[in-house]
Structures are given as C-alpha cells and as structure tokens.
Amino acid sequence: METNGKVEHILPPEYHGNPISTNGSLVVREWGYDLCWFIHHVSGMFTSVVSIYNPYKGIEGKFLEVFISRKGE
C-alpha cells in the first residue's frame, strides 16, 4: 500500500537476493501450488508441477519443482 508517496508495509517486508542491488528485491507475492490455478485463470493454460529429487545426480535441496504450462490445441 502507498500513502503520500511512501510504501506502507502491511506485514514485515521480506527481500530476496538481487544480483543488481545489495538491497535485494521486495517480495510482493509468495507463489506456491496456487500458481497453477492463477496461470489457468489468466491464460487458459493447464499447468503441471514436476518435483525432481535425485541425490545421486546432485539434484536435492529446496525449490526443485518445475512448473510446465501447456497451451491448448
């Protein structure tokens, strides 16, 4: 929300890393699996989520989901 040209945070601000600025980037929306619904709502595309985890190939950790959107035929 903005009041008199100044940002007023409703919740405590959260920042993600930004390679261009040491201040980071203000997070305005945390997406989760609701991203699938949102993509379909605004574009009509169906979205699948694939979660990849394979420690033998070095694929492990957080945020490994891949979102795949398909345009209708």
Side-chain angles (χ1 to χ4, degrees):
M1 185 163 45
E2 189 175 322
T3 306
N4 296 327
K6 184 177 178 186
V7 175
E8 180 182 330
H9 299 285
I10 297 170
L11 298 171
E14 180 181 338
Y15 295 88
H16 285 178
N18 181 338
I20 298 173
S21 170
T22 57
N23 295 328
S25 295
L26 179 63
V27 176
V28 295
R29 172 73 190 224
E30 284 283 347
W31 291 105
Y33 288 101
D34 58 333
L35 181 59
C36 297
W37 172 87
F38 182 79
I39 291 170
H40 185 264
H41 180 73
V42 299
S43 70
M45 291 191 294
F46 289 95
T47 301
S48 303
V49 181
V50 178
S51 192
I52 302 169
Y53 178 82
N54 188 333
Y56 299 105
K57 294 185 177 180
I59 304 171
E60 56 185 332
K62 295 181 180 180
F63 312 117
L64 295 176
E65 294 84 7
V66 176
F67 289 75
I68 303 166
S69 298
R70 292 183 177 88
K71 193 172 184 178
E73 305 200 14

